[in-house]
Amino acid sequence: MGEFIRNCRLCKKQMESGPFMMCTTCLVESDRIRSFIVKNPHVSIEEISLATNVSVEKVEQMIDLGDKREESQQKNNLYTLF
């Protein structure tokens, strides 16, 4: 049986299936961005991009992905209330 291949949730490049939804590169960049934001909470997307060496577009994609995830969690929490 062959290996299962899927696309990274962020950059859409093919990757081997594993426990994470993002490829190794995106995971490392995501961690770098998250660490920077924790230390510098009120910065612009451009500042994040410059400090982490990740493109503005990719930072925006990560924010969008986080927003969608948060929305999904909020909907699930509403269902448990009723």
Side-chain angles (χ1 to χ4, degrees), residues 2 17 22 36 48-49 68 75:
S17 182
M22 291 190 279
F36 180 76
I48 295 168
S49 175
K68 288 177 187 172
K75 285 179 185 177

Side-chain angles (χ1 to χ4, degrees), residues 5-68:
I5 303 291
R6 65 176 169 194
N7 294 338
C8 172
R9 195 169 190 182
L10 190 62
C11 70
K12 308 300 184 210
K13 292 181 183 174
Q14 285 190 348
M15 60 181 242
E16 290 183 22
S17 182
F20 302 107
M21 300 298 284
M22 291 190 279
C23 67
T24 306
T25 302
C26 289
L27 284 170
V28 169
E29 290 175 343
S30 175
D31 189 48
R32 202 176 330 143
I33 289 169
R34 192 174 295 117
S35 294
F36 180 76
I37 292 172
V38 166
K39 294 175 187 170
N40 307 281
H42 300 287
V43 294
S44 69
I45 292 173
E46 290 79 14
E47 290 172 306
I48 295 168
S49 175
L50 285 171
T52 60
N53 208 19
V54 177
S55 71
V56 170
E57 293 80 18
K58 201 161 191 181
V59 173
E60 289 173 339
Q61 287 175 326
M62 288 183 189
I63 291 168
D64 289 343
L65 188 61
D67 286 346
K68 288 177 187 172

